[in-house]
Amino acid sequence: MMQTRFIALPALLALGAVSTVAVATDPDYTLVNTVANVNAITVPIDSYTGQHDVMSGGVSVGDFNLDGYPDIFLPGLGTVADMLFINQQDGTFEEQAGAWGIDRLHMGQGSAVGDVNNDGLPDLFVQSFGPADQQAQPGHALLYINQGPDAMGNWSFTEEASERGVNSVMSIVAGKGAAFGDVDLDGDLDLFAATWQFTPGADGNRLFENDGNGYFTDISDEALPEPPFVLRGFTPKIVDINGDRYPELLLTCDFETSRLYVNNGPDEHGRISYRDATEAAGITEDHNGMGSTLNDFNGDGMLDWFMTNIFVSSANYFNTLYMGVSVDESGTPIFLDQATVRGVSDNGWGWGVVSGDYNNDGDVDIIATNGWPQWPSEPTRYWNNDGLGNFNDQSSIAGLSFNIDGRGLVHLDYDRDGDLDLAFVDNDGPFRLYRNDLGFEGRPFTHFLRFDINTDLHPCLAPMGYGTRVIATYGGKDHLRVVDGASSYLGQSELTVHFGLEIIEEVDQVRFEWADGSYTIIENPTIDHQSVVYAYHPADMDRDGRFTFYDISRMLSAYIAQDSSADFNSDGAVNIMDVMEFIERYNSPCE
């Protein structure tokens, strides 16, 4: 395994003075739509078929203009055009969908953010049922390609779903959530589009393989197992669960149809396929899977899978919290549902959910929204983690005990103050942005670490850090985060990696485990900053993103000097074996 070691973080951006006194505290959320200038109402138009209008209402976060501040994409649901709120870096946003060319009046559903053509610019995929002035119909998914700034500095998107092969997700109207991920580890982002289909035999829940230039091929029939019944897909996630680096597909689906597909890795021809490991993995307790979030809730180094459901106590319908237990000899991850004993079984008719360290105390909490017409109204849930993966609802303490007809939910640090803010979509109601005032206005300061991951200079890694595992060691513990696209119900959160430190003022190290098997270790990182961490190919000795004579020259110089940077195979010695491995990786960098 290749190792690169850095002592200082690049591009450190100060966010404020650090207090000398720090104690644990609770998040304090304040509704800030007016002051942040993000006033919007999401009302689905009647043209949606069936109950798709009532199930609509997503939101996605991306730094679309690469200024280091997260922006917000909000589908207008056909009543109004889609909205794009560009962060003004002063705590406010400006709606610029028209200027960017995405103010489309259509029946939008789920969305996902990813750099599909590897040009360093975040693109946007949107599920859609077509123009608002027509009846809902298939074949209208959208792929907005980021064109970057023009000569005048004006940014824009162009819509290219049809020519790039992802406009038609299904032969009937059913598209829901979407997620990007590098399923074959070839350094580009593939796309999974979920569909809430109800017609046996209809093509749905599609996997699109990226050819490397942002053009896609539907490989669903070849790569995915035949489902035992019609899948009612809502929320997909693409993430490695069993540790072999090839990401699994975790499909949160309605009506007891959620599936776990384990990645078999490439065959002799390099083709990827999946096997259905749902029952073997213990994914058998959910009844109406809606939203989904993945994290290490009990700090044991294994990923756990939380799904919102409809709570019906008389029928034993609950949320599910599948705790990762082990991985068996076949590579199947084993889970145990512990939602009830860990205190997260009930949030009414659940939809969007996120997980993160919302009080910066070092563990991962859960926030979930809910609602359905003519269903018992339940307030938003903020489940605080006790540090061992047990939860209690503290929504009233955090300022989140409101009742809405919630659908989409994402988190982001929009004001760059080191705590996680929230955005909620209310179906047929006002969009809600909540600022976390943790550590301000006389409240105790809590320390934090935040990392933006840039993999643009590594030709073998998918862009935007997708697939990266990040392990921060502090307070005598390892704290795991995974860049899995942060998808939830009909949208996704920011990709910035966030660690809360509470009163801890020194972090031992942060280890970035890249999807190609190499890693970077940063020792004693500066805290209370948001930093950019870059991935470099091991053979890219001068770190310019290319393989040239200068890389060979640097390797030879290091070898002659017996410098540790020439220990290419990380065996503790500098010898001819390092030269041989360098040549192999230089000539075939991604094999």
Side-chain angles (χ1 to χ4, degrees):
M1 178 178 291
M2 297 300 151
Q3 175 182 356
T4 55
R5 186 178 294 269
F6 301 95
I7 305 301
L9 290 174
L12 295 178
L13 301 174
L15 296 178
V18 178
S19 171
T20 57
V21 179
V23 295
T25 189
D26 298 306
D28 182 16
Y29 282 100
T30 303
L31 184 64
V32 293
N33 290 66
T34 300
V35 297
N37 194 32
V38 288
N39 295 298
I41 298 177
T42 49
V43 179
I45 198 168
D46 293 339
S47 302
Y48 286 94
T49 59
Q51 293 183 316
H52 289 297
D53 57 342
V54 189
M55 295 188 288
S56 65
V59 56
S60 281
V61 177
D63 181 10
F64 297 111
N65 58 2
L66 302 183
D67 65 353
Y69 283 75
D71 310 305
I72 299 172
F73 169 74
L74 182 64
L77 309 186
T79 301
V80 298
D82 291 351
M83 293 156 276
L84 180 62
F85 295 99
I86 298 298
N87 199 316
Q88 300 301 293
Q89 306 181 22
D90 60 0
T92 69
F93 293 81
E94 182 177 290
E95 205 288 299
Q96 297 183 5
W100 284 66
I102 63 172
D103 56 338
R104 187 176 296 250
L105 193 64
H106 71 116
M107 291 170 279
Q109 287 284 345
S111 55
V113 179
D115 176 10
V116 303
N117 54 357
N118 287 39
D119 64 354
L121 303 172
D123 308 305
L124 177 65
F125 175 78
V126 185
Q127 297 253 44
S128 175
F129 295 172
D133 60 353
Q134 302 176 18
Q135 285 299 310
Q137 52 191 293
H140 284 278
L142 307 167
L143 180 59
Y144 291 112
I145 301 299
N146 195 328
Q147 300 300 308
D150 62 16
M152 302 298 294
N154 299 313
W155 292 69
S156 65
F157 286 106
T158 59
E159 200 290 299
E160 302 180 13
S162 180
E163 51 263 52
R164 291 180 181 269
V166 292
N167 65 303
S168 184
V169 175
M170 193 174 180
S171 59
I172 61 175
V173 174
K176 290 301 177 187
F180 286 111
D182 188 0
V183 301
D184 46 9
L185 299 186
D186 63 352
D188 53 41
L189 288 177
D190 310 299
L191 173 66
F192 191 93
T195 56
W196 194 78
Q197 83 178 70
F198 50 87
T199 302
D203 55 326
N205 295 289
R206 313 310 295 164
L207 177 60
F208 297 96
E209 182 181 27
N210 194 325
D211 70 356
N213 295 311
Y215 292 82
F216 294 84
T217 300
D218 184 352
I219 62 169
S220 308
D221 292 341
E222 299 81 14
L224 301 181
E226 182 71 24
F229 32 63
V230 174
L231 300 186
R232 299 288 192 94
F234 275 133
T235 306
K237 299 186 82 67
I238 302 174
V239 59
D240 174 29
I241 298 293
N242 62 8
D244 67 354
R245 297 188 289 111
Y246 285 90
E248 277 62 60
L249 292 174
L250 289 75
L251 309 180
T252 298
C253 303
D254 207 353
F255 296 114
E256 303 181 9
T257 65
S258 294
R259 311 309 291 168
L260 171 62
Y261 291 161
V262 172
N263 196 323
N264 294 319
D267 62 14
E268 64 273 17
H269 303 292
R271 293 187 292 258
I272 289 291
S273 66
Y274 285 86
R275 66 182 184 274
D276 191 336
T278 307
E279 282 73 26
I283 309 300
T284 57
E285 301 299 321
D286 66 293
H287 294 275
N288 302 99
M290 308 292 192
S292 174
T293 188
L294 203 71
N295 239 309
D296 178 11
F297 294 111
N298 60 352
D300 65 353
M302 301 193 69
L303 290 174
D304 312 306
W305 184 10
F306 179 82
M307 286 190 271
T308 55
N309 275 247
I310 303 174
F311 178 81
V312 185
S313 59
S314 60
N316 291 320
Y317 286 9
F318 309 97
N319 296 330
T320 52
L321 176 55
Y322 292 112
M323 303 298 293
V325 175
S326 62
V327 178
D328 70 15
E329 293 181 355
S330 70
T332 299
I334 306 301
F335 294 91
L336 178 64
D337 179 28
Q338 296 185 339
T340 299
V341 298
R342 292 184 180 271
V344 292
S345 62
D346 174 17
N347 70 308
W349 192 305
W351 293 100
V353 60
V354 291
S355 58
D357 192 353
Y358 301 106
N359 56 0
N360 279 357
D361 67 349
D363 50 46
V364 181
D365 314 305
I366 300 173
I367 297 176
T369 189
N370 67 85
W372 188 257
Q374 293 82 50
W375 191 262
S377 180
E378 294 283 347
T380 299
R381 299 287 199 258
Y382 161 53
W383 285 304
N384 180 54
N385 192 332
D386 69 354
L388 300 174
N390 304 303
F391 299 87
N392 60 87
D393 183 10
Q394 296 185 359
S395 56
S396 60
I397 297 174
L400 295 174
S401 57
F402 52 84
N403 295 57
I404 62 173
D405 207 1
R407 296 297 180 269
L409 167 60
V410 296
H411 68 223
L412 69 163
D413 183 9
Y414 80 88
D415 51 1
R416 292 285 297 268
D417 64 353
D419 54 35
L420 293 173
D421 311 305
L422 300 168
F424 294 82
V425 177
D426 184 350
N427 180 276
D428 204 15
F431 178 69
R432 292 169 174 254
L433 179 66
Y434 283 84
R435 184 185 66 218
N436 192 347
D437 291 324
L438 184 69
F440 286 89
E441 297 181 0
R443 298 166 62 81
F445 187 89
T446 55
H447 300 293
F448 61 89
L449 279 173
R450 287 176 58 80
F451 300 102
D452 290 314
I453 299 176
N454 189 311
T455 47
D456 291 346
L457 296 177
H458 194 314
C460 313
L461 296 180
M464 302 174 67
Y466 273 84
T468 306
R469 292 169 58 93
V470 185
I471 303 168
T473 303
Y474 56 90
K477 298 179 181 179
D478 288 340
H479 303 258
L480 171 66
R481 304 287 188 271
V482 176
V483 183
D484 67 346
S487 61
S488 184
Y489 183 72
L490 299 186
Q492 73 177 63
S493 295
E494 67 176 6
L495 296 183
T496 301
V497 177
H498 178 95
F499 295 95
L501 308 180
E502 199 176 56
I503 63 173
I504 294 174
E505 297 184 339
E506 184 173 338
V507 173
D508 301 328
Q509 68 172 34
V510 183
R511 178 185 175 100
F512 297 83
E513 297 182 348
W514 311 111
D516 70 340
S518 62
Y519 60 88
T520 295
I521 293 178
I522 298 173
E523 297 177 332
N524 301 315
T526 303
I527 66 171
D528 302 326
H529 287 73
Q530 183 164 320
S531 309
V532 181
V533 176
Y534 296 88
Y536 303 99
H537 190 282
D540 181 15
M541 300 291 287
D542 61 0
R543 296 175 183 167
D544 64 353
R546 300 175 299 157
F547 301 107
T548 67
F549 168 79
Y550 297 102
D551 299 306
I552 299 174
S553 176
R554 288 195 176 212
M555 176 61 184
L556 290 177
S557 296
Y559 176 76
I560 293 171
Q562 289 291 287
D563 187 273
S564 60
S565 63
D567 183 12
F568 208 74
N569 58 10
S570 300
D571 66 354
V574 177
N575 53 41
I576 192 62
M577 300 305 297
D578 297 301
V579 176
M580 297 299 294
E581 185 160 342
F582 171 82
I583 293 173
E584 181 178 352
R585 293 296 299 275
Y586 180 90
N587 290 327
S588 302
C590 299
E591 295 181 1

